[in-house]
Amino acid sequence: MITRKISTALLLIAACIASALPYAAIAQQSKNVSPVAPRRELVEAVVREAYQKFKDDTSGKNADYIPYLAKVDSKLFGIAVVTTDNQVFAVGDVDYSFSIQSISKVFTLALAMNELGADEVFKKIGSEPTGRAFNSPIAVVDMPTHTGNPLVNAGAIATVSLVSGATADEKWNKILDFYGRVAGEKLVLIDEVYKSEAATNTGNKALSYLLAKYDRIYADPFESVDVYTKQCSVGVNTKQLARMGATLANNGVNPATGEQVIKSEDVAHILSTMAMAGLYDGSGGWAWSVGLPAKSGVGGGIVAIAPGKGAIAVFAPPLDEAGNSVKAQKVIDYVSEKLNYNLFSPSSVSLK
Ligand code: DON
């Protein structure tokens, strides 16, 4: 009788251990390795294919309203994928440092949310697509929030004005340091880009004053434009940009350093804003065909995020009418289709 009780107890203990094992294994795995990050061989092959397929595409034109950008070699072309388990795949001119431009807006938004909380930022900036060009003063007049969203110039300048700091320099250093933590390495200003843009940014100054008219800028307007101009002039290479994206894909934790840089509760708000406005008036078509939150910059970079899986960054300077790199859009469309990344497709989470 006693032997039977002992063996039943042993059986029960064994069953408990066995049923707990898969969960322990999953918990362990999710700590170190994303269970959904794509396979190395597949990503490598797709990235190479995309590079070959689009390398000779010459459509689009460099931005020229910032004189420096008109002089950048239009043939430069780099693709990088960084997964949430920090695998890196890169082809082409991936070490060339280009100006981050509007992609910076995503990360200043994250910093403002870290400081003020998502609700306060939403109240002060909003998150509605404008349906107009990224630098449109008409949108500032027309939109009920005036700021529109944090990814158009007006909303981005207002977002900079929310970052705390006793002086403009303190704010700028905080922003630069934050971008470095998102990238996992120190980033620096490209001084020539800053000078070129600061000498020609009358349109952004006008936007900042228009915001002041509506009480929708929260620090000195011109000072905020200057810090914004600096943040747009930060240099990144394609691999660094992909890692910045991978930090968002990894719920705010930098996959290389393990630091929780962006609050996990803010990530979905940031990605939804990118999905609606990341490619400006090209965002609807992008969601329709690619289905990933992304952000472009007039320097020629685009980064797209596959939540839980990783990020694709592409650098190629020629842009379309909306200010988005033509080649980068084609590459990301191709790669995300092959890797089954489209968020709106049930098959992206294995439902066939
Ligand atoms: O303020 C500007 O116009 C530029 N520094 C950034 C614009 C930009 O990158 C728009 N993106 N595609």
Side-chain angles (χ1 to χ4, degrees), residues 77-199:
F77 180 34
I79 309 176
V81 172
V82 174
T83 61
T84 44
D85 50 6
N86 202 34
Q87 302 176 69
V88 182
F89 310 93
V91 187
D93 302 308
V94 287
D95 293 312
Y96 178 89
S97 191
F98 56 95
S99 54
I100 187 169
Q101 295 296 343
S102 282
I103 305 167
S104 66
K105 295 165 177 170
V106 171
F107 302 102
T108 301
L109 168 65
L111 175 60
M113 281 171 150
N114 272 0
E115 289 194 345
L116 293 163
D119 289 351
E120 193 60 18
V121 173
F122 184 76
K123 233 190 284 163
K124 293 215 146 67
I125 310 291
S127 184
E128 295 303 328
T130 65
R132 294 195 182 267
F134 61 82
N135 51 6
S136 170
I138 297 166
V140 178
V141 175
D142 272 359
M143 298 289 292
T145 59
H146 306 293
T147 34
N149 67 67
L151 304 183
V152 290
N153 289 11
I157 295 164
T159 307
V160 167
S161 79
L162 289 177
V163 174
S164 67
T167 61
D169 261 358
E170 200 179 309
K171 289 187 190 198
W172 156 238
N173 287 322
K174 188 190 277 183
I175 288 171
L176 184 62
D177 173 70
F178 184 72
Y179 291 3
R181 285 162 49 214
V182 180
E185 54 194 292
K186 196 171 159 11
L187 299 177
V188 293
L189 179 83
I190 307 178
D191 203 45
E192 268 189 274
V193 176
Y194 169 63
K195 287 199 176 108
S196 178
E197 187 162 345

Side-chain angles (χ1 to χ4, degrees), residues 312-325:
I312 316 167
V314 182
F315 167 59
L319 311 178
D320 66 11
E321 289 292 307
N324 305 315
S325 165

